[in-house]
Amino acid sequence: MSITLSATLAANEDIERRRRAGERVLHLAFGEAGLPVHPALRDRLVAASGRNGYGPVAGAPELRAAAAGYWARRELPTDPDLVVCGPGSKPLLYALLLAIGGDIVLPAPSWVSYAAQADLVGSRSILVPPPAGEGGVPDPGRVAEAVRHARARGRTVSSLLVTLPDNPTGRLATVETIGRLVDVARELDLVIISDEIYRDLMHDPAPPYTSPADLAPERTVVTTGLSKSLALGGWRIGVTRLPENAHDLRERLLAVASEIWSSPAAPVQQAAAWAFTEPPELAERVALSRRLHGAVARAVHARFAAVGARTPEPQGGFYLYPDLGHLRLGGSAAVTRLLLDEHGIGVLPGHAFGDDPSAARVRVAVSLLYGETAEQRLAALDAANPVTLPWISAALDQLSDGLSGLAKGRPEAARERRPALVPTACHG
């Protein structure tokens, strides 16, 4: 088995290395929320820092109860005994793949770690594109065809995965698509894993949001965490909601967890338990984050649209997925390399997400444009129109200049001739 570093982490390390060498790089490759921790959360973590015992494998009772309440407020009644906590939703997803077993259907494109984790556990991924204009959900009709074909060849296909809203496209599947997919899952007896880590970051919370768990609670596993909505990626805490009466799956999941992480960090669990009750100050922080992500994502979308890139406007999170195929510069790897080496713009190639390597699609993350310092990021969070702030405006201008150069086919001056010292605001 060939195991390589995650594409997102590898790109982040490469860009940071270039910056330390004095290169001016606009970092649009890493999906970090890009905001400071709320002070009240820091206080909760400090207050719990004396807790150094392992605790239950499933997670602290107060955290499981708080997570159950979080889902109940979203009209998903939840038994705390069917909530399992882990050191981030990413390890939980890995443990779920082990506990469920069999091959898995994934949307193509989809987050880089899904297929990689399936490889690690010995499963094979069946990649199915989403319906046109959507993201994060494999096309239901094509799922049925692909699963039947795989089973006819002797493969065991046990599950399918969706991301609502999506990474990498920033799009949300429609209610109709979710309904059709649930029907297929029932017909083919598939477990649905619904990664909803970006649910609370829908740019416009008005459009209907339907989780597969709303329609098929008996076969849907929901995962989420605090790394995106509250920018707690480094704290590593996630929770999963298991289907009704899924006690066998719970036992298998806990068996896996007991051999991998034993229990999540106790102080972080205590802070997370408070966060999942959604106190007013944290609810306000999430609302401001949602506004900021949406404003900057739309501004970045406009820059790509200005050079003719085809991409639907992002609806949630801090991603978009432009197609630069009209420039005829090659596939996703070639376009990514040109953007970085000749224009100082770091993105991720679409093929890292399971997309066709010959397509010139790239994943763009906007969340590191908010500022270099905590003060700048908080100013961006509080700003009614954050794209007018000098450091964000400068980053957007740098993006426009680079994209214009790419579109014209006239590379900028060689990177070694760029000034090594630039205003920190331009780093975004």
Side-chain angles (χ1 to χ4, degrees):
M1 179 186 299
S2 176
I3 302 174
T4 60
L5 188 66
S6 164
T8 51
L9 298 176
N12 187 59
E13 292 182 6
D14 181 33
I15 290 171
E16 291 304 322
R17 176 185 57 78
R18 289 170 180 259
R19 283 180 162 185
R20 288 193 299 271
E23 295 186 22
R24 183 186 179 193
V25 181
L26 192 64
H27 198 342
L28 300 173
F30 197 45
E32 191 161 60
L35 292 166
V37 177
H38 194 286
L41 271 170
R42 291 203 307 268
D43 292 343
R44 294 277 172 164
L45 185 66
V46 170
S49 60
R51 295 184 178 233
N52 61 345
Y54 283 110
V57 176
E62 51 267 48
L63 174 53
R64 290 187 284 112
Y70 165 89
W71 278 305
R73 288 189 293 278
R74 285 151 184 81
E75 300 183 358
L76 284 175
T78 301
D79 181 352
D81 286 340
L82 288 174
V83 174
V84 175
C85 313
S89 61
K90 188 173 182 177
L92 280 169
L93 287 164
Y94 178 73
L96 282 165
L97 292 179
L98 281 168
I100 294 169
D103 294 342
I104 185 169
V105 180
L106 300 176
S110 58
W111 181 45
V112 298
S113 289
Y114 297 144
Q117 288 189 350
D119 287 343
L120 285 173
V121 304
S123 297
R124 286 180 288 180
S125 302
I126 300 172
L127 302 179
V128 177
E134 299 183 46
V137 174
D139 184 277
R142 298 177 71 172
V143 167
E145 179 184 358
V147 171
R148 290 192 181 101
H149 180 74
R151 287 177 173 172
R153 292 173 175 267
R155 292 170 62 179
T156 299
V157 185
S158 305
S159 61
L160 63 85
L161 186 145
V162 302
T163 313
L164 305 170
D166 184 37
N167 170 16
T169 66
R171 299 290 292 174
L172 179 69
T174 65
V175 174
E176 293 74 19
T177 296
I178 296 296
R180 289 169 52 218
L181 191 70
V182 163
D183 290 342
V184 169
R186 282 202 176 104
E187 179 186 353
L188 299 177
D189 193 22
L190 297 171
V191 175
I192 304 170
I193 302 173
S194 187
D195 183 352
E196 303 185 14
I197 192 103
Y198 297 98
R199 174 171 186 161
D200 296 327
L201 295 181
M202 289 296 301
H203 302 161
D204 179 359
Y209 182 104
T210 299
S211 168
D214 293 321
L215 306 178
E218 81 285 354
R219 65 179 57 253
T220 302
V221 177
V222 181
T223 65
T224 192
L226 302 176
S227 61
K228 309 304 179 182
S229 60
L230 287 169
L232 297 181
W235 287 26
R236 310 310 304 142
I237 191 72
V239 293
T240 187
R241 176 190 186 274
L242 299 178
E244 297 173 354
N245 302 315
H247 298 284
D248 288 346
L249 176 58
R250 179 182 185 272
E251 292 307 309
R252 294 196 300 274
L253 180 59
L254 292 180
V256 172
S258 71
E259 301 298 348
I260 296 179
W261 62 76
S262 298
S263 61
V268 176
Q269 288 192 73
Q270 294 304 305
W274 180 68
F276 273 115
T277 66
E278 300 179 283
E281 57 265 57
L282 295 191
E284 179 187 26
R285 169 60 67 91
V286 173
L288 292 174
S289 301
R290 184 166 54 237
R291 181 182 70 177
L292 172 60
H293 297 319
V296 178
R298 287 189 295 272
V300 170
H301 176 269
R303 268 58 178 185
F304 277 93
V307 298
R310 299 188 305 275
T311 178
E313 187 169 298
Q315 296 171 290
F318 28 82
Y319 305 113
L320 56 153
Y321 198 66
D323 186 336
L324 294 160
H326 68 293
L327 299 180
R328 301 184 185 279
L329 297 171
S332 61
V335 169
T336 299
R337 184 54 55 188
L338 282 169
L339 282 169
L340 182 58
D341 288 346
E342 297 182 358
H343 303 283
I345 299 171
V347 298
L348 285 180
H351 73 261
F353 298 85
D355 207 346
D356 180 355
S358 67
R361 290 185 280 267
V362 297
R363 203 289 301 271
V364 177
V366 308
S367 47
L368 296 185
L369 300 182
Y370 305 155
E372 285 290 319
T373 66
E375 290 75 18
Q376 287 182 339
R377 294 165 187 156
L378 288 173
L381 189 68
D382 291 333
N385 190 11
V387 298
T388 63
L389 293 171
W391 55 93
I392 297 180
S393 177
L396 292 171
D397 288 345
Q398 182 183 346
L399 175 62
S400 292
D401 291 345
L403 291 176
S404 295
L406 183 74
K408 293 174 183 176
R410 293 196 296 269
E412 296 174 1
R415 299 191 58 75
E416 58 268 23
R417 290 199 290 272
R418 293 186 186 197
L421 299 177
V422 295
T424 56
C426 294
H427 284 187

